[in-house]
Amino acid sequence: MRIITGLSTLAALLLTTGVARADNYSDTTTLFKNAGDSAKFFPKSYAYAVFPTVGEAGFIVGGAHGKGRVYVHDKLVGDTTMSQLSAGFQAGGKAYSQIIFFEDKRALDEFESGSFEFAAGVSAVAVTAGASASAGTTGASSGASGGQKDANTTSGGYQKGMAVFTIAKGGLMYTATVAGQKFTYTPREGK
């Protein structure tokens, strides 16, 4: 029991380290606008959801959570949260930023339905100077790093009307998990 408590404490400490970059929405958006392939999606996407910090921790069973905002043509239209539960071989904690691009209104409507979920199976992988992180998703597979021109998508574009990029922020976590991300959406007044 003391081992589990110690690992949980270590995971929490790891999540709080390295979170100095991209502490707000505009800083995070700027990071993605300067990260190679992800920059190409801003002018051609209908909308996007940005999550400045998603924290993830686990020991056998794990979870992740992040708060975000949804923008249509750079205009704030709503708030979103992401939650993820995972089970499998995993230990540690990490933090990353995430952005989801929506190709058209249909893709955004699906996300805003209130029951949208990325099922397990495909990973979005991100690497920054000497660290790595992954976020389980389906519908899109992509990667990004903190440096300009280093982001890429393995899908070559949208999958099911969406494209996902992540940027690792810090932490250390080993995972071999089956996980899914579930989202909630709350529109802003005057949408």
Side-chain angles (χ1 to χ4, degrees):
M1 188 63 175
R2 289 186 358 207
I3 292 172
I4 292 173
T5 303
L7 285 173
S8 297
T9 302
L10 176 63
L13 288 172
L14 287 171
L15 284 174
T16 61
T17 62
V19 182
R21 289 179 33 212
D23 288 331
N24 65 43
Y25 297 96
S26 62
D27 288 347
T28 303
T29 301
T30 299
L31 280 175
F32 283 107
K33 284 183 176 180
N34 293 317
D37 283 352
S38 63
K40 298 174 189 172
F41 283 81
F42 282 94
K44 68 179 184 178
S45 69
Y46 176 77
Y48 60 91
V50 64
F51 298 84
T53 301
V54 176
E56 182 174 2
F59 181 72
I60 312 285
V61 175
H65 182 75
K67 293 181 180 181
R69 291 184 177 163
V70 178
Y71 297 85
V72 174
H73 305 297
D74 291 324
K75 180 183 175 208
L76 177 61
V77 297
D79 298 297
T80 183
T81 61
M82 185 281 291
S83 298
Q84 176 178 331
L85 292 176
S86 57
F89 184 68
Q90 58 188 317
K94 63 185 172 186
Y96 57 93
S97 298
Q98 179 171 306
I99 192 164
I100 304 168
F101 291 100
F102 304 98
E103 185 174 26
D104 52 28
K105 185 169 179 355
R106 182 213 48 83
L108 180 62
D109 289 346
E110 183 179 343
F111 181 84
E112 292 177 343
S113 71
S115 60
F116 182 78
E117 183 173 352
F118 282 133
V122 178
S123 291
V125 178
V127 178
T128 61
S132 65
S134 64
T137 63
T138 59
S141 174
S142 61
S145 76
Q148 187 173 6
K149 306 225 184 292
D150 292 327
N152 61 64
T153 59
T154 58
S155 67
Y158 294 101
Q159 290 185 1
K160 298 182 182 177
M162 295 175 213
V164 180
F165 290 85
T166 63
I167 296 176
K169 294 175 73 171
L172 176 63
M173 185 170 187
Y174 178 78
T175 61
T177 63
V178 177
Q181 294 182 341
K182 184 171 181 139
F183 299 87
T184 63
Y185 174 77
T186 306
R188 290 272 177 129
E189 294 297 318
K191 175 185 169 190

